[in-house]
């Protein structure tokens, strides 16, 4: 029994140790222009942590309605605060900065297999986010 408990504990630790933390910055100006998440597209595995860094002031992170895997709750953060989320469900996660959404400040996180890609791609985006999100969806594998 003791060996079984030790084996189970080691398996849990091994899983936790393999999880990655992926950093996404919230920027006024980045490699792709003004008002961006950088990087705007990331690939993650279930259990990874996505860490949004409030590098520049005036930004937040909000899920885009219709662009979350089944069972994942919508979220919206306060302004000027870092935010971490552990991504457990496979699929794509669409996020935006609330005040800069029309200016194209969106990001897409692919976790494992993109099981909800068709539904996410069908979501109508606003303003400059239309083109940016289309470019991000094109990167999904």
């Amino acid at each position: 029994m003791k060996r079984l408990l030790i084996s189970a504990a080691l398996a849990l630790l091994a899983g936790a140790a393999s999880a990655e933390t992926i950093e996404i910055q919230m920027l006024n100006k980045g490699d792709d222009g003004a008002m961006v998440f950088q990087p705007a597209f990331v690939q993650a595995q279930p259990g990874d942590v996505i860490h949004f860094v409030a590098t520049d002031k005036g930004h937040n992170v909000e899920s885009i309605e219709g662009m979350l895997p089944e069972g994942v709750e919508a979220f919206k953060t306060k302004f000027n605060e870092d935010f971490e989320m552990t991504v457990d469900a496979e699929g794509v996660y669409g996020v935006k900065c609330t005040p800069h959404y029309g200016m194209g400040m969106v990001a897409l996180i692919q976790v494992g297999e993109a099981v909800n890609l068709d539904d996410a791609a069908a979501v109508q985006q606003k303003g400059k986010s239309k083109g940016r999100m289309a470019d991000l969806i094109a990167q999904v594998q």
Side-chain angles (χ1 to χ4, degrees), residues 88-106:
D88 291 320
E90 287 195 317
V92 293
Y93 296 63
V95 298
K96 65 183 177 182
C97 171
T98 308
H100 303 116
Y101 178 45
M103 297 174 74
M105 192 165 177
V106 293

Side-chain angles (χ1 to χ4, degrees), residues 25-42:
Q25 295 183 26
M26 297 178 257
L27 300 170
N28 293 338
K29 184 162 178 56
D31 295 341
D32 292 329
M35 304 305 168
V36 294
F37 289 103
Q38 190 168 300
F41 177 76
V42 297

